[in-house]
Amino acid sequence: MKMLIGGKWVDREKKIEVTNPYDNSLVDTVPAGSAEDMKAAIAAAVEGFQETKRLSTLERITILAKTAGLMEGKRDELARMISSEGSKTIREARFEVGRAITTMTVSSEEARRIDGETLPFDSRPGSQNRRGYYYRFPIGVIGAITPFNDPLNLVAHKLGPALASGNSVVLKPATVTPLVALKLGELLLEAGLPSKGLNIVTGYGHEIGDALVTDDRVRMITFTGGPEAGLDIVKKAGLKKIGMELGSNSAVIVMDDADLERAVPACVDGAFGCAGQNCIGVQRLFVHAKIFSEFKDEFVTKTKKLVVGPQRDEKTDVGPMITEGEAERIEAWVQEAISQGAKVLTGGMRRGSVYQPTILADAPLTAKVVAEEVFAPTVALFEFRDLASVIEIINSSKYGLHAGIFTQDINNAFQAIEDIDVGGIMVNDTSDYRIDQMPFGGVKLSGLGREGIKFAIYEMTEPKVVCFNL
Ligand code: NAP
């Protein structure tokens, strides 16, 4: 596929090969964009903004609703793209396509609700003749940088709100999964988006990222990815708005009164869905001592039944990791934990880019598999007795995105809600639950600001005050 700059599909001699992470087969190529390409895309987006900011609310609603309709007609194609360039199974990919359609649909709905309010200028002495209001206006060119793990829906979470509120965008998708993002760009143009309103530059973040992040013409960087790149971007961005959706090592608590028939399968899904490559996936699992043994047996039994294999096979539950390098990384982290006393209850094996779903017990809290974000099909299981102490351990993390607690006792639930430092807490669910229109984001190293369409629109607009002196 080609990249999209200034309304044209642009190719370059230097290419990036997009491969299937399961068997390394070639899926397609994209141009390896340069810093000059990025500059050209920003210049086009500056021009594009002159058009996008003048689109009426009705036009913005129509373009986004039409895009959602076009996506609806291409559900299968989009899902196949996700499960070829990425590591999601075909069933997970179909689910993502459904969510991305919702994200674009809700973006079109939220465009209708961007409003302001009248202001009581006549409340100040001497101001009795003044009347006025504020409304929210788009901020300009938005630079969007996205990760590999939800290659369509996380792009939709940037483009939908940005375009709903009249901004123009330069998007840099993850290098390993650029294809479905380019496809979404194609559909937006087909739906009537002004051609310079969206520019998509493919290329390596470390080569072309700075050109986007440091450019003063870009008014906001909205980034989803790992903390390393996120912190680098924050340091370089200068005076512009920043949205950071970063990682976590999410915790789930299972109390002694929990309904295990709900808790066990939810924890299996939460830990191993998308091969654990999920920012709210279950990584630290704290189970009350009274039910620990029963939970552990059920959890291990269910995990062993997961079918691991090629993503495109309908029977596969757990696909590969995004690269063999990533699988080697988690293999080394598990080895480190074992050398520090952790026991492998199941898994712990790697074949190429496939890492077997792995449950560890007795891992030290300082081991990488506990303290860092694993972003792999690996979960650490702990036994506990006292809720307050577990909450303290959970909060000792440098991250704080989501947490979950399984309990029938409202007091336990409220203790967790009030005391765990996270952006979202799920009661009788794992950390791995969200809908696309809720405020989504984290505290501490998990991020800055919130996404979730309405909330992203808020970040991507600014109030302008109008006052009439009558
Ligand atoms: P990543 O390595 O940080 O990459 C994310 C994006 O940033 C890619 O497009 C990457 O480009 C680009 N990039 C890398 N270095 C850059 C730089 N110096 N300047 C500008 N851009 C740069 O993350 P990933 O491995 O794709 O995704 C996994 C991470 O994303 C995990 O930490 C996960 O928790 C997080 N995540 C968070 C959320 C959330 O909503 N909180 C959701 C999903 C994922 P290249 O691909 O070219 O390197």
Side-chain angles (χ1 to χ4, degrees):
M1 292 179 86
K2 297 175 183 171
M3 57 186 174
L4 178 60
I5 300 176
K8 298 196 171 62
W9 293 99
V10 176
D11 210 353
R12 290 285 173 260
E13 219 164 274
K14 200 172 151 205
K15 301 273 193 270
I16 293 169
E17 293 193 339
V18 181
T19 54
N20 181 323
Y22 185 76
D23 56 11
N24 268 327
S25 57
L26 184 67
V27 180
D28 204 342
T29 62
V30 292
S34 62
E36 287 70 43
D37 290 321
M38 187 56 90
K39 292 286 166 203
I42 296 168
V46 169
E47 286 177 31
F49 181 55
Q50 295 309 313
E51 293 182 72
T52 54
K53 74 176 189 185
R54 291 192 171 83
L55 290 172
S56 67
T57 302
L58 180 60
E59 285 171 314
R60 285 179 271 123
I61 290 171
T62 307
I63 290 166
L64 292 165
K66 209 167 159 194
T67 305
L70 292 169
M71 291 165 80
E72 189 69 56
K74 293 196 181 300
R75 271 178 180 266
D76 282 350
E77 184 186 345
L78 294 169
R80 277 200 305 275
M81 287 177 101
I82 292 171
S83 63
S84 300
E85 62 176 337
S87 60
K88 281 192 175 182
T89 68
I90 185 71
R91 286 183 279 132
E92 289 166 341
R94 286 191 197 112
F95 187 65
E96 180 179 345
V97 173
R99 281 184 58 190
I101 292 170
T102 301
T103 303
M104 296 309 275
T105 305
V106 175
S107 296
S108 91
E109 291 165 358
E110 288 297 339
R112 193 185 296 278
R113 290 191 271 273
I114 303 170
D115 54 17
E117 55 187 4
T118 55
L119 295 167
F121 283 106
D122 60 347
S123 60
R124 200 173 81 176
S127 272
Q128 285 87 337
N129 287 335
R130 286 184 169 82
R131 303 284 183 275
Y133 59 92
Y134 77 83
Y135 67 101
R136 298 196 74 83
F137 71 102
I139 57 176
V141 177
I142 294 188
I145 304 175
T146 51
F148 75 84
N149 64 313
D150 280 320
L152 179 63
N153 192 37
L154 290 177
V155 170
H157 266 287
K158 310 286 187 206
L159 304 189
L163 300 172
S165 49
N167 297 286
S168 63
V169 182
V170 177
L171 168 71
K172 196 217 89 62
T175 297
V176 283
T177 55
L179 302 177
V180 77
L182 291 164
K183 188 72 197 173
L184 180 57
E186 218 177 277
L187 300 182
L188 275 156
L189 294 191
E190 192 181 333
L193 183 73
S195 63
K196 294 179 179 172
L198 172 63
N199 301 270
I200 307 177
V201 185
T202 51
Y204 299 105
H206 60 270
E207 287 179 6
I208 63 171
D210 283 3
L212 179 64
V213 168
T214 60
D215 197 300
D216 289 339
R217 294 169 296 177
V218 176
R219 300 307 308 137
M220 176 180 187
I221 293 291
T222 170
F223 173 82
T224 302
E228 199 181 318
L231 286 171
D232 189 45
I233 288 168
V234 170
K235 281 186 203 133
K236 290 176 177 162
L239 194 65
K240 50 174 68 83
K241 283 191 155 192
I242 299 278
M244 286 282 144
E245 298 283 341
L246 308 178
S248 196
N249 58 349
S250 298
V252 171
I253 300 170
V254 184
M255 296 301 297
D256 51 349
D257 60 1
D259 175 353
L260 293 194
E261 281 187 18
R262 282 168 81 179
V264 173
C267 288
V268 173
D269 270 7
F272 304 117
C274 305
Q277 299 161 113
N278 172 4
C279 58
I280 48 178
V282 180
Q283 179 173 338
R284 296 177 292 159
L285 188 43
F286 298 92
V287 181
H288 196 278
K290 277 193 195 157
I291 51 150
F292 184 80
S293 174
E294 187 187 348
F295 180 94
K296 183 182 76 176
D297 291 348
E298 276 291 299
F299 188 53
V300 171
T301 305
K302 279 213 156 44
T303 300
K304 281 184 171 162
K305 287 189 183 142
L306 292 171
V307 178
V308 182
Q311 328 80 296
R312 297 290 293 278
D313 190 329
E314 291 286 344
K315 292 193 290 297
T316 299
D317 297 311
V318 179
M321 293 192 61
I322 191 67
T323 59
E324 187 163 351
E326 274 295 281
E328 285 168 350
R329 171 187 62 78
I330 190 60
E331 185 179 39
W333 285 20
V334 169
Q335 284 310 318
E336 180 216 55
I338 292 169
S339 73
Q340 295 173 1
K343 292 184 189 62
V344 178
L345 302 183
T346 181
M349 277 159 331
R350 181 181 71 81
R351 189 174 42 81
S353 58
V354 175
Y355 195 69
Q356 211 68 24
T358 299
I359 304 174
L360 298 173
D362 302 331
L365 294 175
T366 49
K368 287 202 189 82
V369 286
V370 182
E372 304 296 328
E373 178 183 43
V374 288
F375 223 62
T378 297
V379 62
L381 196 56
F382 302 95
E383 184 174 342
F384 79 95
R385 286 180 190 280
D386 174 46
L387 180 57
S389 321
V390 157
I391 291 176
E392 219 171 281
I393 292 171
I394 291 173
N395 285 343
S396 66
S397 169
K398 56 189 172 189
Y399 298 108
L401 192 49
H402 268 196
I405 179 165
F406 286 88
T407 182
Q408 306 294 328
D409 183 337
I410 194 92
N411 295 308
N412 290 335
F414 269 93
Q415 192 174 344
I417 292 164
E418 282 170 20
D419 293 346
I420 300 182
D421 300 332
V422 283
I425 176 139
M426 307 297 141
V427 179
N428 290 325
D429 250 318
T430 72
S431 51
D432 182 28
Y433 183 80
R434 80 177 279 200
I435 57 167
D436 288 287
Q437 58 268 51
M438 68 185 217
F440 182 74
V443 299
K444 299 191 268 184
L445 203 51
S446 290
L448 202 62
R450 293 292 180 268
E451 287 196 341
I453 306 140
K454 178 167 100 173
F455 306 92
I457 286 176
Y458 194 83
E459 311 268 355
M460 292 170 171
T461 54
E462 272 164 353
K464 185 179 274 185
V465 173
V466 180
C467 181
F468 291 87
N469 188 359
L470 302 175

